[in-house]
């Protein structure tokens, strides 16, 4: 991966490319909240079908990753 190559070359590891530090659920939640949702909310104002059909899928994805974060946090805290 890119982060591995950067480490081999003694370069700073790019954001979200360090497999030892990045948590997939956190990166997905952040990407959805700060890139996907605002983009499609704006698009939904122009194309109402996007608001009706796409935004619910985005919300479902955000809910999924939020549940995963909670589930994995519980595993880490409880040692299960």
């Amino acid at each position: 991966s890119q982060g591995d190559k950067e480490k081999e070359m003694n370069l700073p590891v790019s954001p979200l490319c360090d497999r030892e530090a990045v948590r997939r659920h956190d990166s997905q939640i952040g990407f959805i909240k700060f890139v996907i949702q605002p983009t499609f909310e704006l698009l939904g104002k122009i194309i109402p079908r996007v608001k009706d059909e796409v935004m619910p899928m985005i919300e479902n994805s955000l809910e999924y990753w939020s549940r995963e974060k909670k589930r994995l946090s519980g595993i880490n805290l409880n040692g299960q």
Side-chain angles (χ1 to χ4, degrees), residues 16-35:
L16 301 177
C17 292
D18 187 347
R19 68 174 74 232
E20 296 172 17
V22 173
R23 295 182 183 156
R24 182 181 289 179
H25 51 80
D26 286 331
S27 66
Q28 293 298 312
I29 290 168
F31 185 71
I32 292 168
K33 283 185 174 181
F34 298 108
V35 177

Side-chain angles (χ1 to χ4, degrees), residues 37 40-41 50-60:
Q37 271 184 329
F40 281 89
E41 284 173 358
V50 170
K51 180 181 177 187
D52 298 336
E53 296 180 23
V54 177
M55 290 306 294
M57 289 187 273
I58 293 170
E59 289 297 327
N60 287 342

